[in-house]
Structures are given as structure tokens and as C-alpha cells.
Amino acid sequence: MITNKKSILRLSKYKKALTRLHSMGFKKVFSDNLADAIGVTPSQVRKDFSIFDLSGHKKGGYLIDDLIHKINKILGKEEVEKVIIVGCGNIGTALMRYNGFEKEFIKIVAAFDNNPAKIDNDSQIPILPIEEMHDFIIKEKIRTAVLAVPDQAAQHVVDILVNAGIKGVLNFSPLYLRVPEDFIISNVNLEVELEGVIYFVNAMPTSSEKDSEEINNE
Amino acid sequence: MITNKKSILRLSKYKKALTRLHSMGFKKVFSDNLADAIGVTPSQVRKDFSIFDLSGHKKGGYLIDDLIHKINKILGKEEVEKVIIVGCGNIGTALMRYNGFEKEFIKIVAAFDNNPAKIDNDSQIPILPIEEMHDFIIKEKIRTAVLAVPDQAAQHVVDILVNAGIKGVLNFSPLYLRVPEDFIISNVNLEVELEGVIYFVNAMPTSSEKDSEEINNE
């Protein structure tokens, strides 16, 4: 199935909105509701749903339970996906403590750091020495990692991940990382994002239409 | 000046690469070096530089010091930009401890939380009660905020920020927030980003060209 990142990311957002509606006791939802919830047009919602073959009754709307189930299936969330975090600095540690992932069928099974002082086998998520990462990835058949190491270590660490069989990384390093063609990297650069906001805020007094539109990471 | 987010974000990335080269003792750089450093084509670099009127000697390359200075000027980094963080959970706290911002002329001047147990006037970055946020923003003339509060609080908090005069927000909430037309929101949704990586990793065995290309938040 040929898809693009934007529609997949929207699918995740629809699911979050649906989960929220479900927790509020709602049973049905209309494309207009979902459009409002994530800030797109109703036709965009219907277009996304048709891409993924998510059907509903034009008049009757969509059954929320059913939609969540189908979207989870599309996102491969029928079973828990095991993910490792590399780098236990501020961001890495925050993500280890972050509770949002479990809901998303994402389980952080281990974290790795090269600082002996941080190694902790007994913590809820074990923090292991970076030397053990390669074997752990193979043994546990891990395919996805979060990369939250200092810039200067990023390329070295991603090489280890690639060699061990990791297929995709959520990368917090600002560096451009060299990886194989079929390797997935999603870059989150907080400094760059914040600088972008500040730039447009500063540009505002003389802001053009373009400056004043909402800017998304999409 | 009409600009788009992508070129501004690349400008930040060029600057990071330049800063790194400078710290390594380099004096000059060529568009090809910068292209490699951030993973774009040399012609893209020259195009971006022409947009922002960053000139260099075609043969002689660019002077690194000069480029950093000019880019900082474009990014409004001649003076320090004061930013507040709202929400001192895992992400908010990680950003408070994050050292990368200072280098970028971004100063986190205060954080706000509604949990009395978290209030701390004496910490390096004071953590203040959310009730004091409105007046603080006005008094300190803050224009940019990082929003790292629980989903259910996000819209309420952003309303307070808008009323107090905040012009732009880096938002970690997955919710779509209703804000004025000229208000800048840059959304960073870590769950959605990680789900995206996992989806494409899962899609790989039957991956099409589209699935296997690098996916950036740009």
C-alpha cells in the first residue's frame, strides 16, 4: 500500500481524537467532528479514510469503537511494538517517563547509555550499557529506536543501530545522519522548531500571509 | 520579507553546522559542505542563501564567522529572546534542563505549573504558579512560549497565553488548538512521530519507494 507520512500522521491524530471522544462516552462520530478535532477540512478526513478504506454511513457517521480498531490495525497496533531509547539525557529520560506511549501500543523495553553512573537494571525500564545494545536488539528483535544522544555521538550510534537490524529511528539530534536507503528517520529538532516560532513571531509586525499561517511539522 | 518555514528551519540547521565547523577551527565553508552537513543539494543551499541575501565568493566559498553573524541577524538572534515554559511534566522539565537553547540566544526565563508541589522560586529557572503567568508575560514582555501541559489543559492555557500577548507557541499537545489567525503554532507530537516511524518500519517488507524515503518534519 502506497501511503505518505502526512496521512499516516493524521491517522494517528484521528485515533487520539476518537479515543478522547470514546472516553467521553460517545458512540458515533462524523467526519466534521474529526475535522474540527485535528484542524483539517471534513473532505480531508473523508479522503484520508478512503485511502485506508475506512468506511462509514454517509448519514449515520462512523462507529468510534470500530474506527479505533480499524486504525490500530492499519497502524500495526494489534500487537505491542517494542522500542528502545538510546541516550538517557534530559530528553531520553523524559521519554522513558512518558506515559503516552503505552496507550499507543508502544512499549519502551530498554534504554542505553554510555555513562556507567546511569546504568540501572532495576528501574522500571532497565538502563543498560551501550556495549550491550547490539546484542539486545538482535535478541529482542527490536526494529525501532529513539535516538537522544549528544550530536557528536549520533552518527556512531546510528551505525550500531543499523548494523544490529534497527529499521527506523525517531531522531532528536540536529545532525544529518547517513543511513541506508530503506532506513526510516523522523527528525525532531526542538531548537530548530523553537527558533522557527521565534523567527515568525519576530517577523510578525511586518508579517505576510505566509508568515501568519499555522506552521505544522507535517 | 516573505519566507516559508522550511527555509527558516534550514537556516537554523546551516547555523548549527557552521558553529560545529567553527569550533573545529575551520574558517571557510562551501555550499557543498553545508549541503552534506544537513542533507540537501548544494543548489538548495545556494537557493536558500540567495533568499536571505547571504553572499559568498563562488570560488572562495563563505566565511564561517561572517555567515553565523548574518544568519543570527536574520533569525533575530542579535539579542536574547525570552521564552517561558508552561507545564513542568516530563517534557517541560527536560526542556528546562536542556542546554542547547542558550547557545541559540534563547533564554528560558520562567516555567509555570498548576501543581503547588512543583512551585520553586529558587531553582535556576523559577517555577511559578500558573495564576501568575498572565501578569508575568505582560511585565516581562514575553512573546514566545513552550506549551507542555496535559491535553485537557492545553486549550485553556493557550487562551491565557493569547490574552496575555504571547504571539507564538511550540506546542507538545496532540490537540488542535484554536488561536487567532496571526498566532504562530509549531506542533511537536512525539507519539504521532514515533507511530509514524513504526508504521513505515512495519510497512517495509512490502515497502514502496514512498515508504522508504527519509521522512523529515519539514
Side-chain angles (χ1 to χ4, degrees):
Chain A
M1 176 176 51
I2 294 174
T3 50
N4 64 57
K5 189 190 178 194
K6 287 187 180 182
S7 47
I8 283 298
L9 295 191
R10 278 196 298 272
L11 212 55
S12 291
K13 292 182 179 181
Y14 294 135
K15 195 184 67 181
K16 284 191 196 355
L18 289 164
T19 312
R20 239 173 281 121
L21 289 166
H22 182 262
S23 68
M24 292 160 69
F26 287 94
K27 296 268 171 277
K28 278 185 166 188
V29 68
F30 294 85
S31 50
D32 296 55
N33 307 128
L34 287 170
D36 292 341
I38 80 162
V40 296
T41 63
S43 67
Q44 178 68 69
V45 175
R46 288 187 289 269
K47 201 172 146 198
D48 289 332
F49 279 22
S50 69
I51 292 174
F52 297 105
D53 200 18
L54 295 165
S55 54
H57 309 292
K58 219 174 168 64
K59 290 235 172 50
Y62 303 85
L63 288 170
I64 292 176
D65 279 346
D66 184 46
L67 264 187
I68 294 174
H69 174 72
K70 284 176 177 168
I71 292 177
N72 277 333
K73 209 161 177 180
I74 292 165
L75 293 173
K77 293 300 168 58
E78 290 304 271
E79 57 208 50
V80 172
E81 182 81 22
K82 292 186 289 183
V83 174
I84 59 169
I85 291 175
V86 193
C88 299
N90 297 326
I91 296 294
T93 307
L95 293 175
M96 284 174 68
R97 297 186 182 138
Y98 184 62
N99 303 322
F101 291 141
E102 295 284 328
K103 297 198 304 288
E104 307 302 330
F105 295 81
I106 295 168
K107 185 163 172 50
I108 309 296
V109 290
F112 295 89
D113 203 281
N114 66 350
N115 178 355
K118 289 186 175 173
I119 305 310
D120 181 359
N121 269 295
D122 308 326
S123 61
Q124 197 187 1
I125 296 170
I127 303 175
L128 309 173
I130 203 99
E131 295 73 21
E132 298 179 14
M133 186 169 69
H134 178 275
D135 294 353
F136 183 95
I137 290 167
I138 292 169
K139 183 166 153 292
E140 298 294 325
K141 299 187 177 61
I142 310 294
R143 300 183 301 167
T144 310
V146 175
L147 189 59
V149 299
D151 303 1
Q152 59 275 20
Q155 183 63 57
H156 172 63
V157 169
V158 86
D159 291 342
I160 300 174
L161 295 175
V162 169
N163 291 334
I166 291 289
K167 297 297 179 203
V169 155
L170 181 62
N171 171 42
F172 286 87
S173 155
L175 293 184
Y176 173 71
L177 301 174
R178 282 154 194 78
V179 294
E181 268 229 335
D182 64 347
F183 191 90
I184 305 298
I185 292 194
S186 186
N187 296 305
V188 178
N189 189 326
L190 301 176
E191 288 159 62
V192 167
E193 291 298 329
L194 187 51
E195 280 198 350
V197 173
I198 289 168
Y199 170 83
F200 285 105
V201 164
N202 287 330
M204 259 191 205
T206 60
S207 71
S208 69
E209 277 307 295
K210 214 173 190 95
D211 290 336
S212 64
E213 79 197 356
E214 165 156 347
I215 49 179
N216 273 289
N217 293 335
E218 300 182 347
Chain B
M1 173 176 54
I2 294 175
T3 49
N4 65 56
K5 189 190 179 194
K6 287 186 180 183
S7 48
I8 285 298
L9 295 192
R10 278 196 299 270
L11 213 57
S12 291
K13 292 182 179 182
Y14 294 135
K15 195 184 66 182
K16 286 194 197 347
L18 289 164
T19 312
R20 238 172 283 120
L21 289 167
H22 183 262
S23 67
M24 291 159 70
F26 286 94
K27 297 267 171 277
K28 279 186 167 187
V29 68
F30 294 85
S31 50
D32 297 51
N33 307 130
L34 286 171
D36 292 340
I38 81 162
V40 296
T41 63
S43 66
Q44 178 68 68
V45 175
R46 289 187 288 269
K47 201 172 146 198
D48 288 333
F49 280 21
S50 69
I51 292 174
F52 297 106
D53 200 19
L54 295 165
S55 53
H57 309 293
K58 218 173 170 57
K59 289 235 173 48
Y62 302 85
L63 288 169
I64 292 175
D65 279 346
D66 184 45
L67 263 186
I68 293 174
H69 174 73
K70 284 176 176 167
I71 292 177
N72 276 334
K73 210 162 177 178
I74 292 166
L75 293 173
K77 294 301 169 57
E78 289 303 273
E79 59 207 48
V80 172
E81 181 81 22
K82 292 185 290 184
V83 174
I84 59 168
I85 291 176
V86 193
C88 298
N90 296 326
I91 296 293
T93 307
L95 294 175
M96 286 173 68
R97 297 185 184 142
Y98 184 62
N99 303 320
F101 292 140
E102 295 284 326
K103 298 197 304 289
E104 308 302 330
F105 295 80
I106 295 168
K107 185 165 172 47
I108 309 295
V109 291
F112 295 88
D113 203 282
N114 66 349
N115 177 356
K118 290 186 173 172
I119 305 310
D120 181 358
N121 270 294
D122 307 327
S123 60
Q124 197 187 359
I125 297 170
I127 303 175
L128 310 172
I130 202 99
E131 295 74 23
E132 297 178 16
M133 186 169 70
H134 178 275
D135 294 354
F136 183 95
I137 291 167
I138 292 169
K139 183 166 155 291
E140 299 293 326
K141 300 188 177 61
I142 311 293
R143 299 182 303 168
T144 310
V146 174
L147 189 59
V149 300
D151 302 1
Q152 58 276 19
Q155 184 62 58
H156 171 64
V157 169
V158 87
D159 291 342
I160 299 175
L161 295 174
V162 169
N163 290 333
I166 291 289
K167 298 296 179 203
V169 156
L170 180 61
N171 171 41
F172 286 86
S173 154
L175 292 184
Y176 173 70
L177 301 173
R178 281 152 195 81
V179 294
E181 270 229 334
D182 64 348
F183 192 90
I184 306 298
I185 292 195
S186 185
N187 295 306
V188 178
N189 189 325
L190 301 177
E191 287 158 62
V192 167
E193 291 300 329
L194 187 51
E195 280 199 348
V197 174
I198 290 168
Y199 170 84
F200 285 105
V201 165
N202 287 330
M204 260 190 205
T206 60
S207 71
S208 69
E209 276 308 296
K210 212 168 194 100
D211 291 334
S212 64
E213 79 197 356
E214 166 156 344
I215 50 178
N216 274 287
N217 292 337
E218 298 180 348

